[in-house]
Each structure stands twice: as C-alpha cells, then as structure tokens.
Amino acid sequence: MATSTRVALLVCPTSGKGRAGRVAGTVAARLRDVADRLDLHVAPSAAGTAEMARKAVADGVDVLVVLGGDGGAHLAVQACAQSATALAVVPAGTGNDLATALGATSLDAVVTALRDGSRRAIDLGRVENGPWFATVLCAGFDSAVNERANSMRWPAGPRRYDLAILAELATLRPQRLVVETEDALLELDALLVAVGNTTSYGGGIPVCPDALPADGLFDLTVVEATPRRTLLRMLPTLRTGRHVEHPAVRTLRARSVRLSGTSWVAYADGERMSEVPLTTTCVPGALTVVSGAG
C-alpha cells in the first residue's frame, strides 16, 4: 500500500455457526499481504468483542476489520464511530447486511479495497442515550421477527427470517404508533416501522429500498394496520422492495425521528435496543469505512 497501514483483525469465532473461526487463518494471511502490520484479536464473547474493538481504536489502528456478522459489526461500530479508525467487515455471519451495504460481499472485495485505499464516510444513526446503528432500526412486526429469528437454531441464513415471519403472523396485532420528524407527524394504527440508514435487514430484505447511507437522512417505512391476508400478499414484495408501492405503506425521509405510543421493542443492526418510546438521529459522516461501493 502507498502508506504505512496498521490493521487489526477482530474475529468473532462463533459467527455463522463457527464459520468465522474456521476461516480466520485464511483471512489473516490475506490481510497480511495488504497491511504493514496486522494485530489479531479473537473475541470469546459479545462483551469481549466490544472491549477488543474499543482497545484497538484507542491504540490507534488505521483499520479495524471485523470477521463476523452484523452483531460483531454493530459492536465495532460503537468503537469506530467518530474516530480516525476505519471499519471493514469480512462477512461471516447469518445476515451480513452491513457488509453488503459496504460492498464487502467477500474477502476478495475487502482485500482489494484495502489495497486500493478505498475509504468513504457514511452516516450513522444514534439512539438518544443509547448506541449507534449502521443499518436499520425497526419496531413492531419486524422487531418481533428479529427476536424470534435470534432464538432459532435452524435454519441458517435468510430462510430463518422467512420462517420467523410466518410464525409471527399468527399473533400479529396492530398498535397505535406516533411518528414525529422535523417535518411530519403521523399517528396511526400500525404493524411496523423501519428507520433505515441503509436499505436492508434480515439477511437482505430491502425494507427501506431507497435509503442511502451518506445523504444525511433516514428513510422511514411505516406499514399501516391491514388484514392478515393483505399482509400475506404483500410479503413477497419485501424481497424486491416493491412493498413501498402498496397503499398501506407510508414512506418518509427525516434527520431525526421520535417513535412513541406503543409497547414495541426496537431492534437495530439486528440487536435488541430498547422499548419504544425512543428518539434517533442521523449523524452525517460519523463512520469511515473501507468499501468497494459508492
């Protein structure tokens, strides 16, 4: 590389049912080809991942590479946000939505981006008095699906979310939701709300299909109360992003969002956040990423 680059590789060995641990040696060897120095860290737990990420950033590494899924990436985002350390993600988890948003769909893509020095700044969401998130914050039906999917041992990958969706449909009930932004106020019976910094969650479901991670705005998708049979017909369009064309779907853009009026639990980056009410704000350029996209 043109300049001296110090890279830390943070391995989440249980990601992808152990896949991250199995490929760690190969990933480290490839990264050594494009880094002047590579520090290797293997995290035994989520708490260990968070602590190792904080220490690597405090130690001044140029790039923190996470080998894992969205959970490990979410913890690394907390350390890298508004720092001089760039984040890269080698996908090895179940969903890999952040890696996909960054154009890091393979080890080769990450190695090439590191070699070329491809970096850019993206926005992050921040929950008031809480953590950062890089992809999508959701509440309602979709967060219930997330909670169920996280508890399932089988199957792996996007099919897990598909089965969780079907299971949650059986107990689906709308709630009164209030959505406040700097320009709008919505109060309606709703099934879900998604606040997107990037397009997708749940292993590639483009719930906010037009979201851009560097425009300084969230994209919001709100699904109004609708009969279960109507929702069933709508579900296949989630995989293509065409659900936003349905009359029961509202879309908004906003810099800041307050959600209230429900007892829903919010998830972001696939991780449990807090109960509604909550406020979240889009912070422009809060994270530097190693990326082959955009």
Side-chain angles (χ1 to χ4, degrees):
M1 302 179 74
T3 58
S4 178
T5 303
R6 182 179 169 198
V7 176
L9 173 61
L10 180 54
V11 181
C12 306
T14 60
S15 292
K17 295 187 177 294
R19 179 173 178 267
R22 292 191 297 272
V23 302
T26 299
V27 172
R30 293 288 306 280
L31 292 177
R32 286 191 179 97
D33 290 339
V34 293
D36 297 288
R37 174 177 167 181
L38 180 71
D39 303 326
L40 178 62
H41 306 280
V42 180
S45 63
T49 299
E51 180 61 22
M52 288 179 179
R54 283 194 298 267
K55 286 183 176 179
V57 172
D59 201 27
V61 298
D62 299 299
V63 181
L64 177 62
V65 180
V66 175
L67 174 58
D70 286 324
H74 173 78
L75 294 171
V77 163
Q78 311 312 307
C80 293
Q82 294 184 326
S83 80
T85 298
L87 176 67
V89 183
V90 176
T94 301
N96 303 314
D97 288 305
L98 180 56
T100 300
L102 301 183
T105 52
S106 68
L107 174 58
D108 286 344
V110 173
V111 169
T112 298
L114 281 168
R115 179 182 292 116
D116 295 344
S118 299
R119 299 187 190 182
R120 62 176 174 136
I122 67 168
D123 308 332
L124 290 176
R126 190 163 203 180
V127 177
E128 187 176 50
N129 300 317
W132 301 90
F133 66 94
T135 57
V136 179
L137 179 146
C138 61
F141 176 66
D142 41 6
S143 60
V145 167
N146 229 319
E147 196 143 69
R148 181 178 289 271
N150 285 347
S151 70
M152 293 168 64
R153 297 192 173 193
W154 180 92
R159 282 283 296 158
R160 177 181 298 180
Y161 292 92
D162 293 339
L163 290 179
I165 285 171
L166 293 175
E168 285 300 323
L169 276 171
T171 57
L172 183 63
R173 296 290 185 275
Q175 290 196 25
R176 196 67 178 171
L177 173 69
V178 180
V179 180
E180 300 173 72
T181 75
E182 64 271 16
D183 297 319
L185 173 64
L186 290 182
E187 186 172 355
L188 70 171
D189 291 331
L191 296 174
L192 68 85
V193 56
V195 181
N197 184 52
T198 62
T199 61
S200 300
Y201 63 9
I205 299 172
V207 66
C208 300
D210 297 321
L212 298 171
D215 63 354
L217 296 170
F218 291 133
D219 278 34
L220 277 68
T221 299
V222 184
V223 179
E224 297 184 58
T226 189
R228 190 175 281 107
R229 63 182 180 276
T230 302
L231 189 61
L232 277 168
R233 289 196 296 269
M234 189 195 303
L235 284 177
T237 65
L238 273 170
R239 285 286 177 189
T240 64
R242 298 199 62 181
H243 59 285
V244 295
E245 300 170 7
H246 194 281
V249 177
R250 305 273 194 98
T251 59
L252 303 166
R253 283 198 171 100
R255 291 180 179 84
S256 183
V257 183
R258 178 168 174 80
L259 306 177
S260 61
T262 80
S263 60
W264 290 338
V265 173
Y267 269 66
D269 293 342
E271 301 297 307
R272 204 175 202 269
M273 293 286 107
S274 65
E275 293 182 354
V276 174
L278 63 80
T279 300
T280 183
T281 301
C282 182
V283 182
L287 181 68
T288 301
V289 295
V290 174
S291 170

